[in-house]
Amino acid sequence: MSSSSNSLQDPLGSHKLGEFAGHAKSDNFKGIYTGEATDDDALVVRRRALAEIDNAKFGWFHVKACLVAGIGFFTDSYDIFAINLCSLIMGYVYYANAEGDAKNSTPTNIDMWVKGSTQLGCIIGQFVFGYLSDRLGRKRIYGVELIIIIVCTLGGSFAGNTARGLSVYWVLFIWRFILGIGIGGDYPVSAIITSEFATTKNRGAMIAAVFAMQGFGIVAAAIVAIIVLAAFKGAVDGDQQNLDYVWRIIMGLGAVPGIIALYFRLTIPETPRYTLDIEKDTHKAAQDIKNTIGNTNDAEDSAPLQPSAVQAKVQKPTWTEFYHHFKKWKNFRVLMGTSVTWFALDVAFYGVNLNSSIILQAIGFSGKGTPYHELMKTSAGNIILNLLGTLPGYWVTVFTIDRLGRRTIQFIGFVVLLVLFCILGFAYHQILDRSVAGFVVLFTLAQFFQNFGPNTTTFIIPSEAFPTRFRSTCHGISAASGKIGAVIAQLGFFQLKNRGGKNAFIPHLIQIFALFMLIGLIFTWFVPETKGKSLEELSEESERDD
């Protein structure tokens, strides 16, 4: 069979025509197997390949993709949350001989920078890995971010004072800053890989399930802390310096799930959408589809499409192309919407954690005692708080997002959070003084609607709403915008909360959070509803085929 000498010249660039490994039932497809491979044939093959992905039955490969990506997010949240407990424990080790209120407590500025270093690294990782995923391919860099996370988690657990004057906290700051680059890189790459392999029907639930693994990571960090503390109870009661082993073990164990997932990340195939639209290799894309989700059609109606005699040059996305695409208002408004809503959400999401110590005290899981009992209470209290609000919010989203829609859930979340933060901010002392239970309920509801709301949807929508050529870059930009909000909350508002006295400024901070929820609500109007649409419909790539 001869093949056309002309390569396809469509708006997405030239294709290398390969054998299409899938099968075709419709008479409309039979014609492409009876003669030469023409330009129109390549479009048919591309559409057919994408249809195979979008309409595939939910199967083991989809579960595997969610698990491989989800374990990364489990590790990310474990590492981010574990530092809160580890920093608390380190105060008993390195400031045991301090005077007054400083005794057994990591100084505020040091605590702030050790925790904030990860968020600073995330900003860089999200932007850089987002771009590299579009430029080099999802597969080529998937696993690199996890290697960074594993190495830096283990490195941080062995941090110590240097001979030339760097304290253990500065060494830990450096390790955790680089760790943040790896964690940041996990956001766009995992989201895009899950999105591009998912079926249209279940795409929202799949991406939400990956993100929801964060909730399990938070709880796991607290459970591990309790187990390790219990194992060292006798040693800690005898000498609190033995807590130095405890925080290192808690932190180091965060590398275990990443090590388990690493092989699967390094061996996951390239997404067919990237292979089709960026690498222009139709044959490889079709073969990857066959090897992952399998064939759903009858073999008797099919025959292979012969490869083209011409291999066109692959055209990687460029910043010039990016600029020309997003200088159009209809495209820029979407990127602006995903970035500003994520920014607004994270200011409050990370800022609200400033209240966690107050809630723990209110429910009786904080107070003076031996180092062992104080740390055990804090760990147990954090488990309770997350089981009440955080985890349910994540998983209600997983089971409803493909029915209610992303934009609807985001609207609901921002509206409810706006109301809750107004109540908590303007009636803070009245509620706390009259009804501790009422305050805890409102705080828990805020955690629930953050996760059954914009915390999850701001992660999902950027992985769906942009063209394949820029999808990962745009997700990285949106995520980095969110982490800038997190840095403002952790490094900026952390300084304000004690203005006028201990925790005196917190009511005003919550009022500020309400303002950011209003901003998020307004900019949600610029975000498209992605439910029930293919990625090509959302980015108008299907129109560009015509």
Side-chain angles (χ1 to χ4, degrees):
M1 181 183 293
S2 63
S3 61
S4 173
S5 61
N6 296 321
S7 60
L8 175 63
Q9 300 293 326
D10 71 354
L12 295 177
S14 299
H15 288 263
K16 181 180 80 174
L17 299 181
E19 290 185 330
F20 179 53
H23 302 292
K25 287 182 179 180
S26 171
D27 289 339
N28 293 333
F29 291 104
K30 290 180 180 178
I32 71 174
Y33 301 115
T34 58
E36 293 185 343
T38 67
D39 292 355
D40 289 339
D41 292 342
L43 282 178
V44 173
V45 170
R46 177 180 180 274
R47 289 170 180 163
R48 180 61 182 162
L50 295 176
E52 288 280 355
I53 305 170
D54 291 337
N55 302 317
K57 293 180 180 179
F58 187 81
W60 166 242
F61 177 78
H62 297 105
V63 175
K64 179 182 174 182
C66 288
L67 288 174
V68 172
I71 290 175
F73 274 88
F74 177 96
T75 304
D76 297 347
S77 62
Y78 180 102
D79 288 335
I80 291 173
F81 180 77
I83 192 60
N84 296 329
L85 297 172
C86 289
S87 180
L88 189 63
I89 295 170
M90 290 171 72
Y92 289 97
V93 177
Y94 299 103
Y95 289 90
N97 298 320
E99 301 292 334
D101 292 338
K103 184 178 177 64
N104 294 331
S105 178
T106 300
T108 300
N109 285 339
I110 294 177
D111 182 60
M112 176 185 68
W113 282 106
V114 168
K115 294 175 181 177
S117 61
T118 309
Q119 308 299 343
L120 290 171
C122 278
I123 295 172
I124 297 173
Q126 287 163 337
F127 183 80
V128 171
F129 276 83
Y131 168 72
L132 290 177
S133 177
D134 282 337
R135 183 72 183 175
L136 302 179
R138 286 64 160 128
K139 174 181 172 57
R140 185 175 292 184
I141 65 169
Y142 202 41
V144 174
E145 78 296 330
L146 195 55
I147 292 172
I148 295 173
I149 292 170
I150 292 168
V151 171
C152 292
T153 297
L154 293 174
S157 68
F158 287 101
N161 296 317
T162 67
R164 293 292 181 178
L166 274 182
S167 73
V168 62
Y169 287 101
W170 271 109
V171 175
L172 193 57
F173 173 91
I174 294 169
W175 278 116
R176 292 194 65 82
F177 176 78
I178 303 172
L179 170 71
I181 294 175
I183 291 175
D186 200 19
Y187 274 67
V189 186
S190 286
I192 299 310
I193 283 179
T194 306
S195 174
E196 291 183 349
F197 271 121
T199 67
T200 301
K201 180 181 179 180
N202 300 308
R203 190 176 62 236
M206 285 180 63
I207 306 171
V210 169
F211 195 63
M213 292 299 290
Q214 286 189 329
F216 289 124
I218 294 170
V219 173
I223 292 174
V224 169
I226 288 175
I227 294 172
V228 177
L229 280 167
F232 278 81
K233 182 180 185 303
V236 171
D237 286 341
D239 182 1
Q240 74 180 52
Q241 289 297 307
N242 286 314
L243 285 168
D244 195 43
Y245 298 106
V246 174
W247 75 263
R248 295 177 188 277
I249 293 172
I250 294 171
M251 184 177 293
L253 287 174
V256 174
I259 293 172
I260 294 172
L262 182 59
Y263 169 79
F264 298 100
R265 286 203 172 189
L266 293 174
T267 56
I268 198 168
E270 182 58 86
T271 68
R273 281 185 164 90
Y274 189 88
T275 305
L276 283 168
D277 294 340
I278 310 301
E279 296 180 342
K280 311 302 182 188
D281 192 338
T282 311
H283 170 70
K284 183 176 182 296
Q287 192 63 46
D288 285 343
I289 294 171
K290 179 181 179 181
N291 293 337
T292 53
I293 63 175
N295 291 315
T296 58
N297 301 309
D298 297 327
E300 62 185 13
D301 288 336
S302 67
L305 178 65
Q306 297 300 317
S308 170
V310 177
Q311 179 174 340
K313 181 180 178 181
V314 175
Q315 296 179 353
K316 298 288 186 178
T318 65
W319 285 113
T320 301
E321 187 181 3
F322 182 91
Y323 167 75
H324 286 295
H325 181 81
F326 285 101
K327 74 178 182 179
K328 299 176 182 177
W329 170 245
K330 69 173 184 176
N331 298 325
F332 176 74
R333 70 195 292 271
V334 178
L335 182 58
M336 178 181 66
T338 58
S339 299
V340 175
T341 52
W342 204 334
F343 169 82
L345 178 276
D346 271 10
V347 169
F349 182 79
Y350 286 91
V352 123
N353 291 328
L354 298 172
N355 268 326
S356 60
S357 61
I358 298 172
I359 298 299
L360 291 176
Q361 187 174 358
I363 63 178
F365 281 87
S366 179
K368 296 299 179 182
T370 66
Y372 172 81
H373 286 98
E374 283 190 47
L375 294 168
M376 286 291 280
K377 276 189 172 183
T378 300
S379 300
N382 277 295
I383 292 174
I384 293 172
L385 286 182
N386 283 286
L387 289 179
L388 286 175
T390 302
L391 269 176
Y394 277 127
W395 288 97
V396 169
T397 303
V398 172
F399 292 114
T400 61
I401 193 163
D402 284 314
R403 291 197 298 272
L404 297 179
R406 291 70 152 148
R407 200 163 179 253
T408 300
I409 291 176
Q410 187 159 304
F411 269 125
I412 292 172
F414 273 129
V415 168
V416 174
L417 289 170
L418 173 61
V419 173
L420 289 173
F421 287 146
C422 283
I423 294 172
L424 286 169
F426 290 100
Y428 182 88
H429 293 293
Q430 295 90 322
I431 297 172
L432 198 57
D433 292 342
R434 295 182 183 179
S435 176
V436 171
F439 190 89
V440 172
V441 168
L442 291 173
F443 182 85
T444 302
L445 283 173
Q447 286 190 312
F448 176 85
F449 280 101
Q450 281 178 329
N451 294 297
F452 176 59
N455 187 41
T456 304
T457 55
T458 52
F459 176 80
I460 294 173
I461 295 172
S463 69
E464 303 175 303
F466 301 102
T468 304
R469 298 181 69 79
F470 312 124
R471 188 171 291 128
S472 186
T473 301
C474 291
H475 194 284
I477 292 171
S478 302
S481 300
K483 281 298 179 282
I484 291 172
V487 169
I488 290 174
Q490 289 195 323
L491 304 185
F493 292 167
F494 206 95
Q495 301 284 353
L496 294 174
K497 73 168 187 171
N498 293 323
R499 186 177 181 182
K502 186 175 181 180
N503 294 327
F505 203 73
I506 282 182
H508 302 296
L509 288 178
I510 298 177
Q511 293 166 17
I512 295 173
F513 298 156
L515 176 61
F516 277 99
M517 295 303 95
L518 179 60
I519 293 172
L521 179 62
I522 292 171
F523 277 85
T524 297
W525 288 102
F526 296 106
V527 172
E529 177 54 72
T530 58
K531 179 187 73 170
K533 297 179 181 179
S534 73
L535 298 180
E536 287 65 42
E537 289 178 290
L538 290 165
S539 61
E540 298 183 354
E541 287 177 296
S542 59
E543 293 180 9
R544 294 163 68 187
D545 287 341
D546 297 332

